[in-house]
Amino acid sequence: MTPWQSAKHWWDEHSTQDFWEAVGEHLSAGYVWNSPSCFMLAKACRWNAEEQNFELGEANCWFVTLAAGADRTNPVRECLRVAPHPQQYVAWCRRGSLEPRVYYWEKLMNKAGGQ
């Protein structure tokens, strides 16, 4: 199964939104990456670290809506590697949780073994 197929399978099992509708939204107002090793949907957003919430304003964070990697691929490192540009933060909700996990880009890049 390719990364996008794995992502679609997970999405179909856990979301009420159609997978292709989500892909279309990210093509229009976000970022879509697909390769043999990684699939990712992400959007630029604003994270207020003091209040611990997302808000309107100039983007300082990539929110990874959905990601999947091939065997032996580090999906975190791949997402950081293929993002259009760094932001101060990167965030995602793990396995359908509603609580975002938010990390400083640089710290996560170092931890994931990136440059």
Side-chain angles (χ1 to χ4, degrees):
M1 192 177 295
T2 65
W4 80 262
Q5 289 169 325
S6 296
K8 182 182 185 310
H9 177 75
W10 187 91
W11 189 268
D12 289 346
E13 294 290 317
H14 295 90
S15 179
T16 58
Q17 183 183 27
D18 178 73
F19 176 78
W20 297 112
E21 181 182 340
V23 170
E25 286 178 4
H26 285 78
L27 284 169
S28 296
Y31 182 69
V32 177
W33 175 264
N34 183 48
S35 75
S37 62
C38 182
F39 177 82
M40 176 177 64
L41 301 178
K43 289 186 178 185
C45 60
R46 174 132 193 102
W47 173 252
N48 182 327
E50 187 175 304
E51 295 188 22
Q52 297 289 294
N53 63 19
F54 295 102
E55 63 186 18
L56 296 176
E58 185 178 341
N60 66 352
C61 179
W62 283 110
F63 184 82
V64 179
T65 308
L66 181 64
D71 289 341
R72 291 181 242 135
T73 298
N74 179 328
V76 173
R77 182 174 49 229
E78 280 298 292
C79 288
L80 295 170
R81 185 184 70 77
V82 302
H85 53 81
Q87 293 279 11
Q88 184 177 2
Y89 302 101
V90 61
W92 61 83
C93 292
R94 191 157 195 253
R95 299 185 192 268
S97 167
L98 298 178
E99 289 297 317
R101 294 177 180 232
V102 182
Y103 300 90
Y104 284 101
W105 178 281
E106 287 298 322
K107 286 183 181 179
L108 189 59
M109 180 67 86
N110 291 336
K111 187 175 182 177
Q115 295 96 7

